[in-house]
Amino acid sequence: MKKILVTGGAGFIGSCFVKMLLKRKSRKHIVILDKLTYAGNIKNLEGYIDRDCVEFVKGDICSTRLLDNVVPGVDIIYNFAAETHVDRSILKGASFVRTDVMGTYTLLQKALEYKVSRFVQVSTDEVYGSLDKGKFSENDPIEPNSPYSASKSGADLLVRAFYKTYGLPAIITRSSNNYGPFQHPEKFIPLFITNALEGKPLPIYGDGKNVRDWIYVEDNCRAIDIVGRRGKIGQVYNIGAAEEKENVYIARKIIKFTGADKNLLTFITDRPGHDRRYALCARKLKSLGWKKEYTFNKGLGKTVKWYQENKEWWQEVKRGSFKKYYRKMYGKRIAASREEKAKK
Ligand code: NAD
Ligand code: DAU
């Protein structure tokens, strides 16, 4: 029986990945290791962690002692665990360096020591930096612009080094922006959907013309699974759905889908170092047989519906420490934007 370790499995993408694995009939034992930071939520796994083939361990990927208990006997590791929000990394980056760099290093060491047969590092297109035209390919240089993407880049380089130096059978996936159910409302799409449902401002950074290449979370999880099974050791695989959209286009779509007042759209001071555009070439991934199932329109419609039907989930998340973060991040910028509008 295959023993699979999913770190960060209580987060947005990790929990979707666990659910996808469980839908499959094959015999397996899944160990979910998650620190349950503010971003982790055990409710994301409701109805799944009480199964016999699933074991949930609350803990830190930086703990060698814990990994000495968890990693022996594991066949494949999927490392989703990370600090993930760019804006938080700009406010305070230490936890990003700790988890994304040191945590990955600790996990790599233990994967090597306990002879894990595959290590899949879940990385991001943000490591490439920003580009005006064209698409990033796996051979492009790493040029990160935020403490988050710099930490993820550090992890990618360590994964590469463990493959080159020690022959660790590792693979890296670099996906574009995910969206879908269970995404923390600090991120753009769920923040805008939930604020629209609450009649609150939709705080758009700068001119709103930054572009991201959006992928529905289930499409990314299927891709990570395919790369884990069919990908070539030592390689990097981009995961993108070729759905490039400007932020302001998405904001207007969300207003339309939710029926919110269009005056909620509020342009505020830009994010420092804000990457203008991401776009990925996913040819290498497609050669493994992957194809997206969701267009942006279909995925966004499904996502809005989920947030409309699962208010309890996000209202609880928004009630906690999120309130303080939201005030700090948006309070003055929204007020300044209102003042400016009033002057005109
Ligand atoms: P998320 O913030 O929703 O979840 C991260 C999870 O990791 C949480 O459950 C958290 O509790 C856990 N975690 C954090 N620090 C930990 C630690 N030290 N030890 C153990 N667990 C810890 O993030 P997500 O959006 O699901 O992203 C998952 C992975 O995918 C990350 O590695 C991220 O860099 C990558 N990624 C995300 C996107 C995206 O658009 N969300 C795109 C590309 C890549
Ligand atoms: O590209 C993959 C990355 O996508 C992942 O590696 C990160 O973990 C994930 O957080 C995401 O990073 P982004 O910075 O692109 O995502 P975010 O949701 O924070 O922002 C998306 C875009 O929306 C970006 O151009 C900034 C803008 N934005 C975001 C927020 C939160 C706003 O205009 N207003 C907002 O309030």
Side-chain angles (χ1 to χ4, degrees), residues 17-89:
F17 186 74
V18 167
K19 290 171 199 169
M20 184 201 69
L21 290 182
L22 287 170
K23 275 190 195 122
R24 240 190 261 130
K25 291 242 154 51
S26 59
R27 269 166 51 78
K28 61 196 153 282
H29 183 77
I30 302 174
V31 182
I32 302 165
L33 169 60
D34 198 296
K35 191 177 171 184
L36 294 181
T37 65
Y38 81 90
N41 190 342
I42 204 71
K43 291 198 171 149
N44 296 357
L45 293 163
E46 227 164 49
Y48 292 87
I49 44 170
D50 44 5
R51 302 192 185 184
D52 288 344
C53 64
V54 180
E55 189 182 335
F56 183 81
V57 180
K58 181 176 184 295
D60 194 329
I61 58 164
C62 299
S63 164
T64 48
R65 200 182 307 160
L66 177 74
L67 295 182
D68 279 330
N69 285 319
V70 170
V71 180
V74 165
D75 296 295
I76 177 160
I77 298 179
Y78 294 93
N79 185 27
F80 289 89
E83 288 292 336
T84 62
H85 192 36
V86 173
D87 290 324
R88 288 190 195 254
S89 82

Side-chain angles (χ1 to χ4, degrees), residues 170-195:
I171 300 187
I172 296 172
T173 67
R174 291 189 183 140
S175 121
S176 59
N177 284 61
N178 283 228
Y179 67 101
F182 297 101
Q183 187 169 28
H184 193 288
E186 68 189 356
K187 304 279 166 52
F188 175 59
I189 288 185
L191 179 71
F192 275 41
I193 296 173
T194 58
N195 276 12

Side-chain angles (χ1 to χ4, degrees), residues 275-340:
D275 284 335
R276 191 64 173 170
R277 174 174 171 262
Y278 304 143
L280 284 180
C281 167
R283 201 178 302 135
K284 198 167 161 187
L285 169 70
K286 285 184 187 152
S287 75
L288 299 180
W290 176 89
K291 220 166 76 194
K292 74 174 172 195
E293 283 180 2
Y294 287 85
T295 59
F296 184 71
N297 210 41
K298 180 176 157 194
L300 187 66
K302 200 170 165 181
T303 304
V304 170
K305 191 162 181 280
W306 187 86
Y307 281 90
Q308 280 168 330
E309 289 171 355
N310 290 276
K311 285 195 175 133
E312 246 174 62
W313 180 90
W314 58 263
Q315 280 171 347
E316 191 180 329
V317 176
K318 275 187 147 181
R319 261 200 301 273
S321 60
F322 182 76
K323 269 189 170 172
K324 201 169 150 203
Y325 162 78
Y326 188 83
R327 262 199 306 273
K328 189 168 181 181
M329 178 57 61
Y330 298 100
K332 284 187 184 149
R333 291 152 93 192
I334 291 176
S337 164
R338 279 186 180 143
E339 264 172 42
E340 212 170 291

Side-chain angles (χ1 to χ4, degrees), residues 6-18:
V6 181
T7 72
F12 163 51
I13 308 175
S15 61
C16 177
F17 186 74
V18 167

